[in-house]
Coordinates of all heavy atoms in Angstrom, one line a residue:
N159 N -1.1 -0.6 19.4 CA -0.8 -0.7 17.9 C 0.4 0.2 17.6 O 0.4 1.0 16.7 CB -2.0 -0.3 17.1 CG -1.8 -0.5 15.6 OD1 -0.9 -1.2 15.2 ND2 -2.7 0.1 14.8
Y160 N 1.4 0.1 18.5 CA 2.5 1.1 18.6 C 3.2 1.3 17.3 O 3.4 2.4 16.8 CB 3.4 0.6 19.7 CG 4.5 1.7 20.0 CD1 4.2 2.8 20.9 CD2 5.7 1.7 19.4 CE1 5.1 3.8 21.1 CE2 6.7 2.7 19.7 CZ 6.3 3.7 20.6 OH 7.3 4.7 20.8
D161 N 3.7 0.2 16.6 CA 4.5 0.4 15.5 C 3.8 1.0 14.3 O 4.3 1.9 13.6 CB 5.1 -1.0 15.0 CG 6.0 -1.6 16.1 OD1 6.5 -0.8 16.9 OD2 6.4 -2.8 16.0
N162 N 2.5 0.6 14.1 CA 1.8 1.2 13.0 C 1.5 2.7 13.3 O 1.5 3.5 12.3 CB 0.4 0.5 12.7 CG 0.7 -0.9 12.1 OD1 1.7 -1.1 11.4 ND2 -0.2 -1.8 12.4
V163 N 1.2 3.0 14.5 CA 0.9 4.3 14.9 C 2.1 5.3 14.7 O 2.1 6.4 14.1 CB 0.4 4.5 16.3 CG1 0.5 5.9 16.9 CG2 -1.1 3.9 16.4
M164 N 3.3 4.7 15.0 CA 4.5 5.5 14.9 C 4.9 5.7 13.4 O 5.3 6.8 13.0 CB 5.7 4.8 15.6 CG 5.6 4.8 17.1 SD 5.3 6.4 17.9 CE 6.9 7.0 18.1
K165 N 4.6 4.7 12.6 CA 4.8 4.8 11.2 C 3.8 5.9 10.6 O 4.2 6.7 9.8 CB 4.5 3.5 10.6 CG 5.0 3.2 9.2 CD 4.9 1.8 8.8 CE 5.4 1.5 7.4 NZ 5.0 0.2 6.9
F166 N 2.6 5.8 11.1 CA 1.6 6.8 10.6 C 2.1 8.2 10.9 O 2.0 9.1 10.1 CB 0.3 6.4 11.3 CG -0.8 7.6 11.3 CD1 -1.4 8.0 10.1 CD2 -1.1 8.2 12.5 CE1 -2.3 9.1 10.2 CE2 -2.1 9.2 12.6 CZ -2.6 9.6 11.4
I167 N 2.6 8.4 12.1 CA 3.0 9.7 12.6 C 4.2 10.2 11.6 O 4.3 11.3 11.2 CB 3.4 9.7 14.0 CG1 2.2 9.6 14.9 CG2 4.2 11.0 14.4 CD1 2.4 9.4 16.4
N168 N 5.1 9.2 11.4 CA 6.3 9.5 10.5 C 5.8 10.0 9.2 O 6.3 11.0 8.6 CB 7.1 8.2 10.4 CG 8.3 8.4 9.5 OD1 8.2 9.1 8.5 ND2 9.4 7.7 9.8
I169 N 4.8 9.3 8.7 CA 4.3 9.6 7.3 C 3.6 11.0 7.2 O 3.9 11.9 6.4 CB 3.3 8.6 6.8 CG1 4.1 7.3 6.6 CG2 2.6 9.0 5.5 CD1 3.2 6.0 6.3
I170 N 2.7 11.3 8.2 CA 2.0 12.6 8.1 C 2.8 13.8 8.5 O 2.5 14.9 8.3 CB 0.6 12.5 8.9 CG1 0.9 12.4 10.5 CG2 -0.3 11.5 8.4 CD1 -0.4 12.5 11.3
N171 N 3.9 13.5 9.3 CA 4.8 14.5 9.8 C 5.8 14.9 8.7 O 6.4 16.0 8.8 CB 5.5 14.0 11.1 CG 6.4 15.0 11.7 OD1 7.5 14.7 12.1 ND2 6.0 16.2 11.9
S172 N 6.0 14.2 7.7 CA 7.0 14.5 6.7 C 6.7 15.8 6.0 O 5.6 16.0 5.5 CB 7.1 13.4 5.7 OG 7.9 13.8 4.6
G173 N 7.7 16.7 6.0 CA 7.6 17.9 5.2 C 7.4 17.8 3.7 O 6.9 18.7 3.1
K174 N 7.7 16.6 3.2 CA 7.6 16.4 1.8 C 6.2 15.9 1.5 O 5.8 15.7 0.3 CB 8.6 15.3 1.3 CG 10.0 15.6 1.6 CD 10.5 16.9 0.8 CE 12.0 17.2 1.1 NZ 12.3 18.6 0.8
G175 N 5.4 15.6 2.6 CA 4.1 15.0 2.3 C 3.0 15.8 3.0 O 2.9 17.0 2.7
I176 N 2.2 15.3 3.8 CA 1.0 16.0 4.4 C 1.6 17.1 5.4 O 0.9 18.1 5.6 CB 0.1 15.0 5.2 CG1 -0.4 13.9 4.2 CG2 -1.1 15.7 5.8 CD1 -1.2 12.8 4.8
D177 N 2.7 16.9 6.0 CA 3.4 18.0 6.7 C 2.6 18.5 7.9 O 2.4 19.7 8.0 CB 3.7 19.1 5.7 CG 4.8 20.1 6.2 OD1 5.4 19.7 7.2 OD2 4.9 21.2 5.7
I178 N 2.1 17.6 8.7 CA 1.5 18.1 10.0 C 2.6 18.1 11.1 O 3.2 17.0 11.3 CB 0.3 17.1 10.4 CG1 -0.8 17.2 9.3 CG2 -0.2 17.5 11.7 CD1 -1.9 16.3 9.5
G179 N 2.8 19.2 11.7 CA 3.9 19.3 12.6 C 3.7 18.5 13.8 O 2.6 18.2 14.3
A180 N 4.8 17.9 14.3 CA 4.7 17.0 15.5 C 4.0 17.6 16.6 O 3.2 16.9 17.3 CB 6.2 16.6 15.9
R181 N 4.2 18.9 16.8 CA 3.5 19.6 18.0 C 2.0 19.7 17.7 O 1.3 20.1 18.6 CB 4.1 20.9 18.2 CG 5.5 20.8 18.9 CD 6.3 22.1 18.6 NE 7.6 21.9 19.1 CZ 8.1 22.4 20.3 NH1 7.3 23.1 21.1 NH2 9.3 22.1 20.7
H182 N 1.6 19.4 16.5 CA 0.1 19.4 16.2 C -0.5 18.0 16.2 O -1.6 17.8 15.8 CB -0.1 20.1 14.9 CG 0.0 21.5 14.9 ND1 -0.3 22.3 13.9 CD2 0.5 22.4 15.8 CE1 -0.1 23.6 14.1 NE2 0.4 23.7 15.3
I183 N 0.3 17.0 16.7 CA -0.2 15.7 16.7 C -0.2 15.2 18.2 O 0.7 15.5 19.0 CB 0.8 14.7 15.9 CG1 0.9 15.1 14.5 CG2 0.3 13.3 16.0 CD1 2.0 14.4 13.7
T184 N -1.3 14.6 18.6 CA -1.4 14.1 20.0 C -1.8 12.6 20.0 O -2.7 12.2 19.3 CB -2.5 14.9 20.7 OG1 -2.2 16.3 20.7 CG2 -2.7 14.5 22.1
V185 N -1.0 11.9 20.8 CA -1.4 10.5 21.0 C -2.0 10.4 22.4 O -1.4 10.9 23.4 CB -0.1 9.6 21.0 CG1 -0.4 8.2 21.3 CG2 0.5 9.7 19.6
S186 N -3.2 9.7 22.4 CA -3.8 9.6 23.7 C -3.8 8.1 24.2 O -4.2 7.2 23.3 CB -5.3 10.1 23.6 OG -6.0 9.8 24.8
T187 N -3.4 7.8 25.4 CA -3.3 6.4 25.8 C -4.1 6.3 27.2 O -4.1 7.2 28.0 CB -1.9 6.0 26.0 OG1 -1.9 4.6 26.5 CG2 -1.1 6.8 27.0
C188 N -4.6 5.1 27.4 CA -5.2 4.8 28.6 C -4.2 4.4 29.7 O -4.5 4.2 30.9 CB -6.2 3.6 28.5 SG -5.4 2.1 27.9
G189 N -2.9 4.4 29.2 CA -1.8 4.1 30.2 C -1.1 2.8 30.1 O -0.9 2.2 31.1
I190 N -0.7 2.5 28.9 CA 0.2 1.3 28.7 C 1.6 1.7 28.9 O 2.3 2.2 28.1 CB 0.0 0.7 27.3 CG1 -1.6 0.3 27.1 CG2 0.8 -0.5 27.1 CD1 -1.9 -0.4 25.9
V191 N 2.0 1.5 30.2 CA 3.2 2.2 30.7 C 4.5 1.9 29.9 O 5.3 2.8 29.6 CB 3.4 1.9 32.2 CG1 4.7 2.4 32.7 CG2 2.3 2.6 33.0
P192 N 4.8 0.7 29.6 CA 6.1 0.5 28.9 C 6.2 1.2 27.5 O 7.2 1.7 27.1 CB 6.1 -1.0 28.5 CG 5.1 -1.7 29.5 CD 4.1 -0.6 29.8
K193 N 5.0 1.5 26.9 CA 5.0 2.2 25.7 C 5.2 3.7 25.9 O 5.7 4.4 25.0 CB 3.7 2.0 24.9 CG 3.6 0.6 24.4 CD 4.7 0.2 23.4 CE 4.6 -1.3 23.1 NZ 5.8 -1.7 22.4
I194 N 4.9 4.2 27.1 CA 5.1 5.6 27.4 C 6.7 5.8 27.4 O 7.2 6.8 26.9 CB 4.5 6.0 28.8 CG1 3.0 5.8 28.7 CG2 4.9 7.4 29.2 CD1 2.3 6.2 30.1
Y195 N 7.4 4.9 28.0 CA 8.9 5.0 27.9 C 9.5 4.9 26.6 O 10.3 5.7 26.2 CB 9.5 3.9 28.8 CG 9.3 4.1 30.3 CD1 8.2 3.6 31.0 CD2 10.2 4.8 31.1 CE1 7.9 3.8 32.3 CE2 10.1 5.0 32.5 CZ 8.9 4.5 33.1 OH 8.7 4.7 34.4
E196 N 8.9 4.0 25.8 CA 9.4 3.8 24.4 C 9.1 5.2 23.6 O 9.9 5.6 22.9 CB 8.7 2.7 23.7 CG 9.5 2.0 22.8 CD 8.7 0.7 22.2 OE1 8.1 0.0 23.0 OE2 8.9 0.5 21.0
F197 N 7.9 5.7 23.8 CA 7.5 6.9 23.2 C 8.4 8.1 23.6 O 8.8 8.8 22.7 CB 6.0 7.2 23.6 CG 5.4 8.3 22.8 CD1 5.1 8.2 21.5 CD2 4.9 9.4 23.4 CE1 4.5 9.2 20.7 CE2 4.3 10.4 22.8 CZ 4.1 10.3 21.4
A198 N 8.7 8.2 24.9 CA 9.6 9.2 25.3 C 11.0 9.1 24.6 O 11.6 10.0 24.2 CB 9.7 9.1 26.8
D199 N 11.4 7.8 24.5 CA 12.8 7.6 24.0 C 12.8 7.9 22.4 O 13.9 8.1 21.9 CB 13.2 6.1 24.2 CG 13.6 5.9 25.6 OD1 14.0 6.9 26.3 OD2 13.5 4.7 26.1

Side-chain angles (χ1 to χ4, degrees):
N159 184 17
Y160 189 83
D161 293 345
N162 289 331
V163 163
M164 294 306 274
K165 197 170 179 193
F166 162 66
I167 291 173
N168 178 324
I169 293 168
I170 65 171
N171 182 226
S172 168
K174 306 293 181 202
I176 303 177
D177 197 13
I178 296 175
R181 288 159 186 259
H182 286 190
I183 302 171
T184 302
V185 176
S186 175
T187 179
C188 63
I190 301 188
V191 171
K193 294 297 174 193
I194 297 177
Y195 286 90
E196 213 175 319
F197 189 66
D199 287 334

